[in-house]
Amino acid sequence: MIAKKTYVNALRDALPDMVKSDDLALQIVEIVFSVPVRALENGDKAELPGLGVISIDKSKKSNCLSYSPTQALVQCINKLPHGN
């Protein structure tokens, strides 16, 4: 799992002139992470660039989370060594 602090550090490293504090970087990270959740809550699909699309299938009695990975992610996973 990638900790939020990793995203905060990456944001501060990438934009040091704009993001001058961990608090601001964390606020930006929280906003960005909330966008896909709000999309799903509104019945929309959430596209995660480089990862895939998440949606909620409401055609059954209970809601079902659906995920379609990008081809690039599938290829990346297929290159990983297999466990025993």
Side-chain angles (χ1 to χ4, degrees), residues 6-81:
T6 302
Y7 293 102
V8 166
N9 291 340
L11 190 54
R12 291 203 58 200
D13 290 346
L15 302 168
D17 294 335
M18 299 177 77
V19 183
K20 297 188 182 288
S21 72
D22 283 355
D23 288 341
L24 177 57
L26 181 58
Q27 186 177 14
I28 293 168
V29 168
E30 293 287 347
I31 291 167
V32 170
F33 285 175
S34 73
V35 172
V37 173
R38 285 198 320 262
L40 293 171
E41 289 172 343
N42 292 332
D44 297 324
K45 293 180 179 181
E47 182 178 350
L48 306 174
L51 298 175
V53 177
I54 300 172
S55 61
I56 297 176
D57 182 358
K58 296 183 178 186
S59 65
K60 308 209 174 13
K61 283 187 174 184
S62 62
N63 293 336
C64 180
L65 187 66
S66 174
Y67 172 68
S68 299
T70 62
Q71 189 61 34
L73 180 61
V74 171
Q75 290 173 354
C76 177
I77 291 170
N78 287 336
K79 290 179 184 177
L80 296 174

